Amino acid sequence: DADVTQTPRNRITKTGKRIMLECSQTKGHDRMYWYRQDPGLGLRLIYYSFDVKDINKGEISDGYSVSRQAQAKFSLSLESAIPNQTALYFCATSDRGTGGYGYTFGSGTRLTVV
Amino acid sequence: EDQVTQSPEALRLQEGESSSLNCSYTVSGLRGLFWYRQDPGKGPEFLFTLYSAGEEKEKERLKATLTKKESFLHITAPKPEDSATYLCAVPYHGGSQGNLIFGKGTKLSVKP
């Protein structure tokens, strides 16, 4: 099994729908992140969490929300999806013990909003 | 504003043709520079961390170096399996520890 698992791998949804992307990890890491990747724009941070009770906005949090259900689970929600949220979404984890920067990424969720 | 710029955007090499990728950054008080490799349809995979100017790290055909303003990823005698997008990243200045800002990447293609 992968260290960081994202579900679903691919999703097509309609404008205005609510959608949740899920991430679970078996690394035992305390920190979890959501990034989105767009062609020509690179990876941009949406939200991050350093422990279960800690949630922080990243660079592009508008239109998104997150929930850290447990140390191993971090979900990303789009309350009302819009076409410009079409992107590749990545969950990542890191360990404070290594300075917090050696990320382990999931395989990504390709989201298309039509 | 913290920035990370990678060049070139794309690089095509013949198998065995050595070259270098560049990552320049503008951050105060660098707390490390990180290289990742990303294969199509997959998440980035961590390669190296460099912390101080003059430091070098090696892994197979890859060697990363760091100066005060930029980092280079040298690829020696590349093989087709080295084809991927290479990303560099630095921590946000003043941000919470653990947050990285990524460059847009260099897409490397190695032809047999």
Side-chain angles (χ1 to χ4, degrees), chain A residues 54-90:
Chain A
D54 176 74
I55 300 290
N56 302 281
K57 293 182 178 180
E59 178 186 357
I60 53 164
S61 59
D62 288 348
Y64 301 95
S65 63
V66 291
S67 175
R68 184 84 182 263
Q69 299 96 328
Q71 187 194 33
K73 295 183 181 294
F74 193 36
S75 61
L76 176 71
S77 294
L78 287 67
E79 298 302 324
S80 180
I82 55 177
N84 75 0
Q85 291 176 314
T86 294
L88 187 55
Y89 289 84
F90 287 104

PDB file of all heavy atoms in Angstrom, chain A residues 54-90:
ATOM      1  N   ASP A  54      -4.812  21.835  14.426  1.00  0.00           N
ATOM      2  CA  ASP A  54      -4.170  22.978  13.773  1.00  0.00           C
ATOM      3  C   ASP A  54      -4.503  22.982  12.280  1.00  0.00           C
ATOM      4  O   ASP A  54      -4.179  22.033  11.566  1.00  0.00           O
ATOM      5  CB  ASP A  54      -2.654  22.890  13.972  1.00  0.00           C
ATOM      6  CG  ASP A  54      -1.916  24.001  13.242  1.00  0.00           C
ATOM      7  OD1 ASP A  54      -1.981  25.146  13.714  1.00  0.00           O
ATOM      8  OD2 ASP A  54      -1.305  23.726  12.191  1.00  0.00           O
ATOM      9  N   ILE A  55      -5.174  24.032  11.817  1.00  0.00           N
ATOM     10  CA  ILE A  55      -5.515  24.190  10.403  1.00  0.00           C
ATOM     11  C   ILE A  55      -5.096  25.594   9.983  1.00  0.00           C
ATOM     12  O   ILE A  55      -5.408  26.569  10.673  1.00  0.00           O
ATOM     13  CB  ILE A  55      -7.033  24.033  10.158  1.00  0.00           C
ATOM     14  CG1 ILE A  55      -7.513  22.652  10.606  1.00  0.00           C
ATOM     15  CG2 ILE A  55      -7.364  24.292   8.687  1.00  0.00           C
ATOM     16  CD1 ILE A  55      -7.033  21.508   9.730  1.00  0.00           C
ATOM     17  N   ASN A  56      -4.420  25.699   8.848  1.00  0.00           N
ATOM     18  CA  ASN A  56      -3.928  26.998   8.381  1.00  0.00           C
ATOM     19  C   ASN A  56      -4.186  27.174   6.894  1.00  0.00           C
ATOM     20  O   ASN A  56      -4.057  26.216   6.125  1.00  0.00           O
ATOM     21  CB  ASN A  56      -2.421  27.109   8.631  1.00  0.00           C
ATOM     22  CG  ASN A  56      -2.068  26.926  10.077  1.00  0.00           C
ATOM     23  OD1 ASN A  56      -2.205  27.819  10.895  1.00  0.00           O
ATOM     24  ND2 ASN A  56      -1.614  25.727  10.423  1.00  0.00           N
ATOM     25  N   LYS A  57      -4.510  28.406   6.519  1.00  0.00           N
ATOM     26  CA  LYS A  57      -4.697  28.711   5.110  1.00  0.00           C
ATOM     27  C   LYS A  57      -3.343  28.855   4.425  1.00  0.00           C
ATOM     28  O   LYS A  57      -2.396  29.370   4.986  1.00  0.00           O
ATOM     29  CB  LYS A  57      -5.491  30.010   4.950  1.00  0.00           C
ATOM     30  CG  LYS A  57      -6.929  29.920   5.423  1.00  0.00           C
ATOM     31  CD  LYS A  57      -7.656  31.240   5.183  1.00  0.00           C
ATOM     32  CE  LYS A  57      -9.125  31.118   5.614  1.00  0.00           C
ATOM     33  NZ  LYS A  57      -9.857  32.391   5.386  1.00  0.00           N
ATOM     34  N   GLY A  58      -3.338  28.420   3.173  1.00  0.00           N
ATOM     35  CA  GLY A  58      -2.159  28.603   2.357  1.00  0.00           C
ATOM     36  C   GLY A  58      -2.341  29.764   1.404  1.00  0.00           C
ATOM     37  O   GLY A  58      -3.135  30.675   1.629  1.00  0.00           O
ATOM     38  N   GLU A  59      -1.624  29.680   0.303  1.00  0.00           N
ATOM     39  CA  GLU A  59      -1.595  30.774  -0.678  1.00  0.00           C
ATOM     40  C   GLU A  59      -2.934  30.994  -1.377  1.00  0.00           C
ATOM     41  O   GLU A  59      -3.319  32.109  -1.694  1.00  0.00           O
ATOM     42  CB  GLU A  59      -0.515  30.434  -1.704  1.00  0.00           C
ATOM     43  CG  GLU A  59      -0.350  31.424  -2.844  1.00  0.00           C
ATOM     44  CD  GLU A  59       0.641  30.902  -3.882  1.00  0.00           C
ATOM     45  OE1 GLU A  59       1.234  29.817  -3.672  1.00  0.00           O
ATOM     46  OE2 GLU A  59       0.815  31.584  -4.911  1.00  0.00           O
ATOM     47  N   ILE A  60      -3.693  29.895  -1.616  1.00  0.00           N
ATOM     48  CA  ILE A  60      -4.903  29.979  -2.445  1.00  0.00           C
ATOM     49  C   ILE A  60      -6.057  29.236  -1.807  1.00  0.00           C
ATOM     50  O   ILE A  60      -6.617  28.326  -2.379  1.00  0.00           O
ATOM     51  CB  ILE A  60      -4.629  29.436  -3.871  1.00  0.00           C
ATOM     52  CG1 ILE A  60      -4.026  28.023  -3.798  1.00  0.00           C
ATOM     53  CG2 ILE A  60      -3.720  30.364  -4.652  1.00  0.00           C
ATOM     54  CD1 ILE A  60      -4.091  27.286  -5.123  1.00  0.00           C
ATOM     55  N   SER A  61      -6.488  29.640  -0.617  1.00  0.00           N
ATOM     56  CA  SER A  61      -7.494  28.896   0.129  1.00  0.00           C
ATOM     57  C   SER A  61      -8.938  29.252  -0.236  1.00  0.00           C
ATOM     58  O   SER A  61      -9.859  28.507   0.124  1.00  0.00           O
ATOM     59  CB  SER A  61      -7.282  29.113   1.616  1.00  0.00           C
ATOM     60  OG  SER A  61      -7.366  30.498   1.919  1.00  0.00           O
ATOM     61  N   ASP A  62      -9.164  30.357  -0.922  1.00  0.00           N
ATOM     62  CA  ASP A  62     -10.537  30.763  -1.241  1.00  0.00           C
ATOM     63  C   ASP A  62     -11.252  29.699  -2.058  1.00  0.00           C
ATOM     64  O   ASP A  62     -10.735  29.222  -3.063  1.00  0.00           O
ATOM     65  CB  ASP A  62     -10.538  32.092  -2.012  1.00  0.00           C
ATOM     66  CG  ASP A  62     -10.176  33.274  -1.141  1.00  0.00           C
ATOM     67  OD1 ASP A  62     -10.143  33.102   0.096  1.00  0.00           O
ATOM     68  OD2 ASP A  62      -9.932  34.361  -1.684  1.00  0.00           O
ATOM     69  N   GLY A  63     -12.466  29.345  -1.612  1.00  0.00           N
ATOM     70  CA  GLY A  63     -13.251  28.356  -2.325  1.00  0.00           C
ATOM     71  C   GLY A  63     -13.021  26.938  -1.850  1.00  0.00           C
ATOM     72  O   GLY A  63     -13.659  26.009  -2.344  1.00  0.00           O
ATOM     73  N   TYR A  64     -12.110  26.776  -0.890  1.00  0.00           N
ATOM     74  CA  TYR A  64     -11.779  25.466  -0.353  1.00  0.00           C
ATOM     75  C   TYR A  64     -11.955  25.451   1.163  1.00  0.00           C
ATOM     76  O   TYR A  64     -11.862  26.489   1.820  1.00  0.00           O
ATOM     77  CB  TYR A  64     -10.321  25.102  -0.662  1.00  0.00           C
ATOM     78  CG  TYR A  64      -9.950  25.065  -2.115  1.00  0.00           C
ATOM     79  CD1 TYR A  64      -9.383  26.181  -2.732  1.00  0.00           C
ATOM     80  CD2 TYR A  64     -10.150  23.919  -2.886  1.00  0.00           C
ATOM     81  CE1 TYR A  64      -9.029  26.162  -4.074  1.00  0.00           C
ATOM     82  CE2 TYR A  64      -9.791  23.884  -4.227  1.00  0.00           C
ATOM     83  CZ  TYR A  64      -9.232  25.014  -4.811  1.00  0.00           C
ATOM     84  OH  TYR A  64      -8.884  24.981  -6.135  1.00  0.00           O
ATOM     85  N   SER A  65     -12.169  24.271   1.718  1.00  0.00           N
ATOM     86  CA  SER A  65     -12.125  24.068   3.156  1.00  0.00           C
ATOM     87  C   SER A  65     -11.493  22.704   3.405  1.00  0.00           C
ATOM     88  O   SER A  65     -11.412  21.866   2.494  1.00  0.00           O
ATOM     89  CB  SER A  65     -13.511  24.151   3.785  1.00  0.00           C
ATOM     90  OG  SER A  65     -14.347  23.119   3.292  1.00  0.00           O
ATOM     91  N   VAL A  66     -11.019  22.500   4.634  1.00  0.00           N
ATOM     92  CA  VAL A  66     -10.377  21.231   4.963  1.00  0.00           C
ATOM     93  C   VAL A  66     -10.865  20.740   6.320  1.00  0.00           C
ATOM     94  O   VAL A  66     -11.412  21.487   7.123  1.00  0.00           O
ATOM     95  CB  VAL A  66      -8.835  21.355   4.997  1.00  0.00           C
ATOM     96  CG1 VAL A  66      -8.263  21.590   3.609  1.00  0.00           C
ATOM     97  CG2 VAL A  66      -8.405  22.425   5.985  1.00  0.00           C
ATOM     98  N   SER A  67     -10.620  19.457   6.541  1.00  0.00           N
ATOM     99  CA  SER A  67     -10.914  18.829   7.822  1.00  0.00           C
ATOM    100  C   SER A  67      -9.810  17.831   8.133  1.00  0.00           C
ATOM    101  O   SER A  67      -9.455  17.004   7.276  1.00  0.00           O
ATOM    102  CB  SER A  67     -12.269  18.118   7.762  1.00  0.00           C
ATOM    103  OG  SER A  67     -12.508  17.405   8.960  1.00  0.00           O
ATOM    104  N   ARG A  68      -9.283  17.926   9.340  1.00  0.00           N
ATOM    105  CA  ARG A  68      -8.267  16.948   9.782  1.00  0.00           C
ATOM    106  C   ARG A  68      -8.969  16.029  10.769  1.00  0.00           C
ATOM    107  O   ARG A  68      -9.083  16.307  11.966  1.00  0.00           O
ATOM    108  CB  ARG A  68      -7.099  17.672  10.460  1.00  0.00           C
ATOM    109  CG  ARG A  68      -5.951  16.743  10.870  1.00  0.00           C
ATOM    110  CD  ARG A  68      -5.014  16.494   9.725  1.00  0.00           C
ATOM    111  NE  ARG A  68      -3.943  15.575  10.065  1.00  0.00           N
ATOM    112  CZ  ARG A  68      -2.731  15.961  10.446  1.00  0.00           C
ATOM    113  NH1 ARG A  68      -2.426  17.265  10.536  1.00  0.00           N
ATOM    114  NH2 ARG A  68      -1.808  15.061  10.726  1.00  0.00           N
ATOM    115  N   GLN A  69      -9.424  14.899  10.280  1.00  0.00           N
ATOM    116  CA  GLN A  69     -10.269  14.008  11.080  1.00  0.00           C
ATOM    117  C   GLN A  69      -9.456  13.206  12.082  1.00  0.00           C
ATOM    118  O   GLN A  69      -9.980  12.761  13.109  1.00  0.00           O
ATOM    119  CB  GLN A  69     -11.036  13.041  10.165  1.00  0.00           C
ATOM    120  CG  GLN A  69     -11.978  13.714   9.166  1.00  0.00           C
ATOM    121  CD  GLN A  69     -11.332  13.908   7.803  1.00  0.00           C
ATOM    122  OE1 GLN A  69     -10.120  14.120   7.692  1.00  0.00           O
ATOM    123  NE2 GLN A  69     -12.140  13.843   6.760  1.00  0.00           N
ATOM    124  N   ALA A  70      -8.197  12.987  11.775  1.00  0.00           N
ATOM    125  CA  ALA A  70      -7.301  12.215  12.621  1.00  0.00           C
ATOM    126  C   ALA A  70      -5.888  12.555  12.165  1.00  0.00           C
ATOM    127  O   ALA A  70      -5.701  13.222  11.152  1.00  0.00           O
ATOM    128  CB  ALA A  70      -7.570  10.722  12.483  1.00  0.00           C
ATOM    129  N   GLN A  71      -4.898  12.080  12.902  1.00  0.00           N
ATOM    130  CA  GLN A  71      -3.540  12.381  12.487  1.00  0.00           C
ATOM    131  C   GLN A  71      -3.277  11.887  11.071  1.00  0.00           C
ATOM    132  O   GLN A  71      -2.537  12.497  10.311  1.00  0.00           O
ATOM    133  CB  GLN A  71      -2.513  11.744  13.437  1.00  0.00           C
ATOM    134  CG  GLN A  71      -1.085  12.187  13.101  1.00  0.00           C
ATOM    135  CD  GLN A  71      -0.021  11.347  13.777  1.00  0.00           C
ATOM    136  OE1 GLN A  71      -0.195  10.162  13.992  1.00  0.00           O
ATOM    137  NE2 GLN A  71       1.088  11.972  14.119  1.00  0.00           N
ATOM    138  N   ALA A  72      -3.919  10.781  10.707  1.00  0.00           N
ATOM    139  CA  ALA A  72      -3.642  10.154   9.425  1.00  0.00           C
ATOM    140  C   ALA A  72      -4.575  10.590   8.301  1.00  0.00           C
ATOM    141  O   ALA A  72      -4.398  10.156   7.169  1.00  0.00           O
ATOM    142  CB  ALA A  72      -3.712   8.634   9.574  1.00  0.00           C
ATOM    143  N   LYS A  73      -5.577  11.435   8.585  1.00  0.00           N
ATOM    144  CA  LYS A  73      -6.567  11.758   7.569  1.00  0.00           C
ATOM    145  C   LYS A  73      -6.771  13.258   7.443  1.00  0.00           C
ATOM    146  O   LYS A  73      -6.995  13.955   8.447  1.00  0.00           O
ATOM    147  CB  LYS A  73      -7.907  11.079   7.903  1.00  0.00           C
ATOM    148  CG  LYS A  73      -7.844   9.557   7.851  1.00  0.00           C
ATOM    149  CD  LYS A  73      -9.208   8.955   8.109  1.00  0.00           C
ATOM    150  CE  LYS A  73      -9.168   7.432   8.086  1.00  0.00           C
ATOM    151  NZ  LYS A  73      -8.841   6.910   6.742  1.00  0.00           N
ATOM    152  N   PHE A  74      -6.746  13.716   6.193  1.00  0.00           N
ATOM    153  CA  PHE A  74      -6.875  15.149   5.911  1.00  0.00           C
ATOM    154  C   PHE A  74      -7.662  15.287   4.621  1.00  0.00           C
ATOM    155  O   PHE A  74      -7.209  14.840   3.570  1.00  0.00           O
ATOM    156  CB  PHE A  74      -5.471  15.749   5.759  1.00  0.00           C
ATOM    157  CG  PHE A  74      -5.393  17.254   5.761  1.00  0.00           C
ATOM    158  CD1 PHE A  74      -6.212  18.030   6.558  1.00  0.00           C
ATOM    159  CD2 PHE A  74      -4.436  17.895   4.983  1.00  0.00           C
ATOM    160  CE1 PHE A  74      -6.093  19.420   6.578  1.00  0.00           C
ATOM    161  CE2 PHE A  74      -4.306  19.284   4.997  1.00  0.00           C
ATOM    162  CZ  PHE A  74      -5.137  20.039   5.799  1.00  0.00           C
ATOM    163  N   SER A  75      -8.862  15.869   4.696  1.00  0.00           N
ATOM    164  CA  SER A  75      -9.700  15.950   3.513  1.00  0.00           C
ATOM    165  C   SER A  75      -9.852  17.398   3.048  1.00  0.00           C
ATOM    166  O   SER A  75      -9.811  18.322   3.843  1.00  0.00           O
ATOM    167  CB  SER A  75     -11.070  15.326   3.781  1.00  0.00           C
ATOM    168  OG  SER A  75     -11.720  16.013   4.824  1.00  0.00           O
ATOM    169  N   LEU A  76     -10.035  17.544   1.769  1.00  0.00           N
ATOM    170  CA  LEU A  76     -10.199  18.857   1.127  1.00  0.00           C
ATOM    171  C   LEU A  76     -11.579  18.905   0.492  1.00  0.00           C
ATOM    172  O   LEU A  76     -11.954  17.984  -0.232  1.00  0.00           O
ATOM    173  CB  LEU A  76      -9.137  19.053   0.046  1.00  0.00           C
ATOM    174  CG  LEU A  76      -9.222  20.328  -0.788  1.00  0.00           C
ATOM    175  CD1 LEU A  76      -8.831  21.545   0.041  1.00  0.00           C
ATOM    176  CD2 LEU A  76      -8.317  20.221  -2.025  1.00  0.00           C
ATOM    177  N   SER A  77     -12.325  19.969   0.772  1.00  0.00           N
ATOM    178  CA  SER A  77     -13.651  20.119   0.194  1.00  0.00           C
ATOM    179  C   SER A  77     -13.745  21.357  -0.678  1.00  0.00           C
ATOM    180  O   SER A  77     -13.171  22.400  -0.355  1.00  0.00           O
ATOM    181  CB  SER A  77     -14.712  20.218   1.296  1.00  0.00           C
ATOM    182  OG  SER A  77     -14.817  19.014   2.009  1.00  0.00           O
ATOM    183  N   LEU A  78     -14.472  21.207  -1.774  1.00  0.00           N
ATOM    184  CA  LEU A  78     -14.847  22.325  -2.606  1.00  0.00           C
ATOM    185  C   LEU A  78     -16.341  22.501  -2.394  1.00  0.00           C
ATOM    186  O   LEU A  78     -17.134  21.640  -2.765  1.00  0.00           O
ATOM    187  CB  LEU A  78     -14.552  22.048  -4.077  1.00  0.00           C
ATOM    188  CG  LEU A  78     -13.097  22.069  -4.540  1.00  0.00           C
ATOM    189  CD1 LEU A  78     -12.289  20.917  -3.949  1.00  0.00           C
ATOM    190  CD2 LEU A  78     -13.024  22.041  -6.053  1.00  0.00           C
ATOM    191  N   GLU A  79     -16.728  23.569  -1.717  1.00  0.00           N
ATOM    192  CA  GLU A  79     -18.126  23.742  -1.327  1.00  0.00           C
ATOM    193  C   GLU A  79     -19.048  23.901  -2.522  1.00  0.00           C
ATOM    194  O   GLU A  79     -20.157  23.380  -2.548  1.00  0.00           O
ATOM    195  CB  GLU A  79     -18.260  24.923  -0.386  1.00  0.00           C
ATOM    196  CG  GLU A  79     -17.490  24.764   0.923  1.00  0.00           C
ATOM    197  CD  GLU A  79     -17.913  23.534   1.716  1.00  0.00           C
ATOM    198  OE1 GLU A  79     -19.122  23.197   1.695  1.00  0.00           O
ATOM    199  OE2 GLU A  79     -17.050  22.891   2.345  1.00  0.00           O
ATOM    200  N   SER A  80     -18.607  24.634  -3.512  1.00  0.00           N
ATOM    201  CA  SER A  80     -19.386  24.859  -4.727  1.00  0.00           C
ATOM    202  C   SER A  80     -18.390  24.950  -5.878  1.00  0.00           C
ATOM    203  O   SER A  80     -17.835  26.019  -6.156  1.00  0.00           O
ATOM    204  CB  SER A  80     -20.207  26.141  -4.602  1.00  0.00           C
ATOM    205  OG  SER A  80     -20.959  26.365  -5.790  1.00  0.00           O
ATOM    206  N   ALA A  81     -18.165  23.829  -6.515  1.00  0.00           N
ATOM    207  CA  ALA A  81     -17.078  23.748  -7.507  1.00  0.00           C
ATOM    208  C   ALA A  81     -17.314  24.685  -8.691  1.00  0.00           C
ATOM    209  O   ALA A  81     -18.457  24.882  -9.145  1.00  0.00           O
ATOM    210  CB  ALA A  81     -16.953  22.308  -8.005  1.00  0.00           C
ATOM    211  N   ILE A  82     -16.219  25.255  -9.175  1.00  0.00           N
ATOM    212  CA  ILE A  82     -16.262  26.111 -10.366  1.00  0.00           C
ATOM    213  C   ILE A  82     -15.194  25.626 -11.347  1.00  0.00           C
ATOM    214  O   ILE A  82     -14.208  24.990 -10.937  1.00  0.00           O
ATOM    215  CB  ILE A  82     -16.036  27.596 -10.002  1.00  0.00           C
ATOM    216  CG1 ILE A  82     -14.728  27.781  -9.230  1.00  0.00           C
ATOM    217  CG2 ILE A  82     -17.214  28.134  -9.206  1.00  0.00           C
ATOM    218  CD1 ILE A  82     -14.410  29.234  -8.918  1.00  0.00           C
ATOM    219  N   PRO A  83     -15.369  25.918 -12.636  1.00  0.00           N
ATOM    220  CA  PRO A  83     -14.435  25.381 -13.645  1.00  0.00           C
ATOM    221  C   PRO A  83     -12.974  25.721 -13.404  1.00  0.00           C
ATOM    222  O   PRO A  83     -12.097  24.906 -13.724  1.00  0.00           O
ATOM    223  CB  PRO A  83     -14.965  25.989 -14.948  1.00  0.00           C
ATOM    224  CG  PRO A  83     -16.437  26.126 -14.719  1.00  0.00           C
ATOM    225  CD  PRO A  83     -16.549  26.553 -13.275  1.00  0.00           C
ATOM    226  N   ASN A  84     -12.656  26.894 -12.828  1.00  0.00           N
ATOM    227  CA  ASN A  84     -11.227  27.203 -12.652  1.00  0.00           C
ATOM    228  C   ASN A  84     -10.601  26.462 -11.480  1.00  0.00           C
ATOM    229  O   ASN A  84      -9.426  26.665 -11.161  1.00  0.00           O
ATOM    230  CB  ASN A  84     -10.965  28.704 -12.593  1.00  0.00           C
ATOM    231  CG  ASN A  84     -11.361  29.341 -11.293  1.00  0.00           C
ATOM    232  OD1 ASN A  84     -11.857  28.676 -10.378  1.00  0.00           O
ATOM    233  ND2 ASN A  84     -11.138  30.644 -11.167  1.00  0.00           N
ATOM    234  N   GLN A  85     -11.380  25.578 -10.848  1.00  0.00           N
ATOM    235  CA  GLN A  85     -10.813  24.668  -9.859  1.00  0.00           C
ATOM    236  C   GLN A  85     -10.413  23.332 -10.495  1.00  0.00           C
ATOM    237  O   GLN A  85      -9.966  22.419  -9.799  1.00  0.00           O
ATOM    238  CB  GLN A  85     -11.786  24.443  -8.702  1.00  0.00           C
ATOM    239  CG  GLN A  85     -11.975  25.693  -7.846  1.00  0.00           C
ATOM    240  CD  GLN A  85     -12.994  25.518  -6.756  1.00  0.00           C
ATOM    241  OE1 GLN A  85     -14.097  24.995  -6.989  1.00  0.00           O
ATOM    242  NE2 GLN A  85     -12.658  25.959  -5.547  1.00  0.00           N
ATOM    243  N   THR A  86     -10.559  23.247 -11.791  1.00  0.00           N
ATOM    244  CA  THR A  86     -10.039  22.097 -12.528  1.00  0.00           C
ATOM    245  C   THR A  86      -8.522  22.084 -12.421  1.00  0.00           C
ATOM    246  O   THR A  86      -7.862  23.055 -12.789  1.00  0.00           O
ATOM    247  CB  THR A  86     -10.468  22.166 -14.003  1.00  0.00           C
ATOM    248  OG1 THR A  86     -11.882  22.016 -14.088  1.00  0.00           O
ATOM    249  CG2 THR A  86      -9.782  21.085 -14.820  1.00  0.00           C
ATOM    250  N   ALA A  87      -7.975  21.004 -11.860  1.00  0.00           N
ATOM    251  CA  ALA A  87      -6.536  20.945 -11.610  1.00  0.00           C
ATOM    252  C   ALA A  87      -6.180  19.557 -11.105  1.00  0.00           C
ATOM    253  O   ALA A  87      -7.038  18.699 -10.903  1.00  0.00           O
ATOM    254  CB  ALA A  87      -6.116  21.993 -10.567  1.00  0.00           C
ATOM    255  N   LEU A  88      -4.882  19.367 -10.896  1.00  0.00           N
ATOM    256  CA  LEU A  88      -4.363  18.160 -10.256  1.00  0.00           C
ATOM    257  C   LEU A  88      -4.087  18.506  -8.803  1.00  0.00           C
ATOM    258  O   LEU A  88      -3.363  19.470  -8.516  1.00  0.00           O
ATOM    259  CB  LEU A  88      -3.094  17.720 -10.977  1.00  0.00           C
ATOM    260  CG  LEU A  88      -2.454  16.393 -10.610  1.00  0.00           C
ATOM    261  CD1 LEU A  88      -3.446  15.242 -10.737  1.00  0.00           C
ATOM    262  CD2 LEU A  88      -1.249  16.141 -11.513  1.00  0.00           C
ATOM    263  N   TYR A  89      -4.693  17.764  -7.881  1.00  0.00           N
ATOM    264  CA  TYR A  89      -4.575  18.060  -6.461  1.00  0.00           C
ATOM    265  C   TYR A  89      -3.699  17.002  -5.785  1.00  0.00           C
ATOM    266  O   TYR A  89      -3.892  15.802  -5.986  1.00  0.00           O
ATOM    267  CB  TYR A  89      -5.956  18.068  -5.799  1.00  0.00           C
ATOM    268  CG  TYR A  89      -6.779  19.260  -6.204  1.00  0.00           C
ATOM    269  CD1 TYR A  89      -7.520  19.245  -7.387  1.00  0.00           C
ATOM    270  CD2 TYR A  89      -6.806  20.409  -5.421  1.00  0.00           C
ATOM    271  CE1 TYR A  89      -8.261  20.354  -7.776  1.00  0.00           C
ATOM    272  CE2 TYR A  89      -7.548  21.517  -5.799  1.00  0.00           C
ATOM    273  CZ  TYR A  89      -8.270  21.478  -6.980  1.00  0.00           C
ATOM    274  OH  TYR A  89      -9.008  22.585  -7.360  1.00  0.00           O
ATOM    275  N   PHE A  90      -2.768  17.494  -4.968  1.00  0.00           N
ATOM    276  CA  PHE A  90      -1.867  16.609  -4.259  1.00  0.00           C
ATOM    277  C   PHE A  90      -1.961  16.815  -2.754  1.00  0.00           C
ATOM    278  O   PHE A  90      -1.979  17.949  -2.265  1.00  0.00           O
ATOM    279  CB  PHE A  90      -0.413  16.837  -4.675  1.00  0.00           C
ATOM    280  CG  PHE A  90      -0.080  16.323  -6.041  1.00  0.00           C
ATOM    281  CD1 PHE A  90       0.055  17.198  -7.102  1.00  0.00           C
ATOM    282  CD2 PHE A  90       0.089  14.966  -6.257  1.00  0.00           C
ATOM    283  CE1 PHE A  90       0.360  16.733  -8.363  1.00  0.00           C
ATOM    284  CE2 PHE A  90       0.400  14.491  -7.523  1.00  0.00           C
ATOM    285  CZ  PHE A  90       0.529  15.380  -8.569  1.00  0.00           C
TER     286      PHE A  90
END
